[in-house]
Amino acid sequence: MHRLIALILPLFVLSCKEKSAELKTGIWRGVIDCQGHDLPFTFDVTKKNDSLLVYMKNGPEKILLDEVSVFGDSVKMVMHIFDAELRAKIDGDKLSGTFVKNYARQANQPFKATFGDDYRFAKNSSEKTTDYTGKYQIEFKTPKGKVIPSVGIFEQNGNHLSGSFLTPTGDYRYLEGNVVDDKLMLSTFDGNHAYVFIATKSGDSLKGDYYAGKLSYESFKGVKNENAKMPDAESLTYLKPGYDKIDFHFPDLNKNMVSPSDEKYKNKVLILQIFGTWCPNCMDETKFLVPWYLENHERGVEILGLAYERKDDFAYASERVQKAIHKMKIPYEFLIAGTNDTEKASKTLPMLSSVLGFPTTIIIGKDGKVKYIHTGFEGPGTGMYYEQFKERFNQIINELLAEKG
C-alpha cells in the first residue's frame, strides 16, 4: 500500500503542477530585448469558450493570435502566419522567455512581460514635451554606407507618439511610442519583425538610430519638410530592354506548373503579387487585395501570388503559404517561386531589372503585356500614402479593363 502511494503521489503532484499555471486575461506589456534596447509592445489576452486568444497591438492595429497553448508552467503563442513564436514561463503577473524564429534560431531574442501595464516606453501624459509632429525627409544609412531615402510621418498627443517611415521597398508599418526625456522612441512588433527607433531633435533636424531584430542596425537623419517625397515606386523595377511581357513556369501548391500565358489568364487583367509569408508589408497588401479581388474578380481580373519563402524547400514553402491562405482567407492562387533572397529572386524573373523588395506588384493587360510595376507597398500605417496608392491602383485597373483584348 505504501509503495502504491509512493508511486501515485508524484504523478498527482506533477498533475497539479501542470494545471497550476494560468495566463491571466487582460492587458499585458511585453518587452523584447533588441540589441540592448527595450522593444515594448502591448497585447490583450482574452478567452473564447475554452480557447485563449491574444491580440497584439501596434497603434490602431490588432493582430489576432489564435494558436495559444498553456502547458505546465509555460505558454506558447504562435505568431499569426509567421514561422515564429513567443515562448515563456508563467509566474503569476510575469512572463519570461524567448521570441523564437523557427527558421533562424540564431536570431532568437529574450522576451518578458508584465500583466496590467498598458503603455509603450512611458505612461501617456499630457505634459508638454519636444514636439515631433509632422513630415520629415529622412535618409537611413547602413554600416556599409548604403543610403536609403525615406519619409517619416509622426503624430503626437502629449508624450504619446505614432507614425511610420516609408522606404522604397515598403513602410515600417504601425510605429507607436513616446517622447521620453525629449527623445523620440518608437517600436513595433508584428510577430516576425521587431523594430526600435530612437532619435533626438534639434530645431527641425532629426538624428537617430534604428535597431531591427538581433543584429541589424542603421543610423538615420533628416529634416522636417511638409513637401518630403519618396522615389517613384513605379520606376524602381522595370522590364529590361527588348521585353514587353513577363513569363515563368512555377509550381502551384500541388506541384502543377503555372504560367501567365495559360488559358485561364488570356484576355484578363492579371495582377502578379511578389510575396512572402514572412513579410509584414506583404500581409498588409494581401489584406487589401483579398476584399478587392472578391469585389472585382467578375470584371475580368485575376491575381496570382508568387511566393518567395525563407527556405529552398517546397514542402516548407507550400506549408507556410497554405497557412497564410487559411488564416487570411485568400481566394486567389499562389505559386512557389523561390527564396526571399532578392538576388536569387531576380534570377527567377530575368526579364526584370531586379527584384528590389517584397512585395512588388506587376499588372499585366489583356494583351499579355506588362503595364505597371510597383515596388513596395504603402500600407495603412502610412495614412494618406495608403489612400493615394488605392486610388492609383483602381485607376490603372479601370483603364486596363476598358481596353479591348
Side-chain angles (χ1 to χ4, degrees):
M1 184 67 177
H2 290 294
R3 187 178 177 187
L4 182 60
I5 292 172
L7 289 170
I8 293 173
L9 188 59
L11 294 174
F12 175 76
V13 172
L14 180 60
S15 176
C16 289
K17 284 183 178 178
E18 287 177 347
K19 294 179 181 178
S20 62
E22 181 182 352
L23 184 64
K24 292 187 175 181
T25 57
I27 195 71
W28 289 76
R29 179 178 183 261
V31 177
I32 293 172
D33 184 328
C34 193
Q35 303 174 47
H37 298 274
D38 282 354
L39 188 163
F41 65 101
T42 58
F43 58 96
D44 199 22
V45 179
T46 65
K47 240 179 193 177
K48 186 175 181 181
N49 299 325
D50 292 328
S51 299
L52 284 170
L53 302 177
V54 170
Y55 292 89
M56 294 197 309
K57 299 180 178 181
N58 292 294
E61 177 185 53
K62 292 183 179 181
I63 299 175
L64 171 63
L65 309 181
D66 58 4
E67 296 175 79
V68 181
S69 53
V70 175
F71 47 97
D73 64 353
S74 300
V75 61
K76 180 175 80 170
M77 309 177 200
V78 178
M79 298 286 100
H80 190 46
I81 67 170
F82 305 121
D83 191 13
E85 302 163 357
L86 287 176
R87 299 181 187 175
K89 181 179 178 180
I90 304 170
D91 184 10
D93 289 351
K94 297 185 183 299
L95 300 177
S96 59
T98 308
F99 168 39
V100 178
K101 293 188 175 180
N102 292 315
Y103 56 86
R105 295 297 179 91
Q106 72 278 9
N108 291 355
Q109 294 167 264
F111 159 75
K112 60 184 179 181
T114 52
F115 178 74
D117 288 334
D118 188 10
Y119 64 94
R120 217 74 176 189
F121 292 91
K123 292 183 178 179
N124 292 342
S125 165
S126 59
E127 290 182 16
K128 190 175 181 180
T129 184
T130 300
D131 187 9
Y132 286 85
T133 298
K135 189 189 295 186
Y136 295 77
Q137 190 74 60
I138 301 286
E139 284 187 345
F140 284 88
K141 189 175 183 180
T142 69
K144 293 184 177 180
K146 181 181 178 181
V147 174
I148 303 160
S150 173
V151 170
I153 45 175
F154 312 119
E155 186 175 331
Q156 188 172 335
N157 183 9
N159 74 339
H160 182 261
L161 194 62
S162 61
S164 193
F165 291 95
L166 291 87
T167 77
T169 56
D171 63 272
Y172 285 106
R173 306 190 72 253
Y174 295 99
L175 302 179
E176 186 180 7
N178 302 92
V179 177
V180 182
D181 296 329
D182 293 321
K183 287 184 180 179
L184 172 151
M185 303 187 79
L186 290 166
S187 65
T188 190
F189 177 57
D190 53 40
N192 196 41
H193 292 106
Y195 300 148
V196 177
F197 299 83
I198 303 172
T200 56
K201 187 179 178 184
S202 177
D204 282 343
S205 296
L206 206 63
K207 185 177 181 181
D209 302 284
Y210 157 53
Y211 304 92
K214 194 172 182 178
L215 296 172
S216 184
Y217 164 81
E218 294 171 12
S219 62
F220 64 91
K221 63 181 181 179
V223 63
K224 192 172 184 179
N225 179 0
E226 292 306 315
N227 296 313
K229 292 182 179 179
M230 286 292 297
D232 181 9
E234 296 178 27
S235 65
L236 298 175
T237 306
Y238 50 89
L239 288 174
K240 291 177 181 176
Y243 292 94
D244 60 7
K245 294 185 178 182
I246 191 166
D247 196 22
F248 52 76
H249 290 81
F250 296 138
D252 65 14
L253 302 187
N254 295 312
K255 296 189 177 181
N256 300 310
M257 301 305 287
V258 176
S259 167
S261 59
D262 289 349
E263 188 66 31
K264 176 180 178 179
Y265 305 113
K266 285 186 178 177
N267 219 22
K268 299 274 186 73
V269 173
L270 175 61
I271 300 164
L272 301 178
Q273 180 191 19
I274 296 179
F275 163 99
T277 61
W278 48 270
C279 163
N281 289 128
C282 300
M283 179 176 69
D284 285 340
E285 184 182 46
T286 304
K287 285 180 179 178
F288 161 71
L289 287 175
V290 166
W292 185 93
Y293 178 79
L294 293 173
E295 290 176 10
N296 292 276
H297 171 58
E298 295 300 325
R299 299 171 66 199
V301 180
E302 292 290 347
I303 300 178
L304 191 55
L306 308 183
Y308 291 83
E309 294 301 311
R310 291 286 191 183
K311 296 180 183 179
D312 186 15
D313 179 288
F314 182 86
Y316 174 86
S318 57
E319 179 187 355
R320 300 316 309 170
V321 174
Q322 285 279 20
K323 183 168 188 177
I325 291 170
H326 172 71
K327 289 278 188 187
M328 303 184 74
K329 297 179 172 57
I330 305 173
Y332 51 86
E333 190 173 15
F334 277 89
L335 311 180
I336 304 302
T339 61
N340 67 304
D341 180 281
T342 53
E343 187 175 337
K344 291 180 180 178
S346 298
K347 290 179 181 178
T348 67
L349 299 169
M351 65 291 300
L352 294 181
S353 57
S354 64
V355 175
L356 281 177
F358 301 88
T360 294
T361 308
I362 302 168
I363 300 180
I364 298 170
K366 293 179 184 178
D367 58 1
K369 295 180 180 180
V370 172
K371 307 295 183 179
Y372 166 90
I373 304 177
H374 186 102
T375 304
F377 183 70
E378 299 85 9
T382 67
M384 68 175 185
Y385 291 93
Y386 179 54
E387 298 304 319
Q388 289 171 359
F389 165 80
K390 290 191 291 184
E391 185 178 346
R392 172 71 175 143
F393 181 86
N394 280 302
Q395 175 193 354
I396 291 165
I397 296 294
N398 291 336
E399 289 175 358
L400 293 178
L401 285 174
E403 292 179 356
K404 292 182 179 179

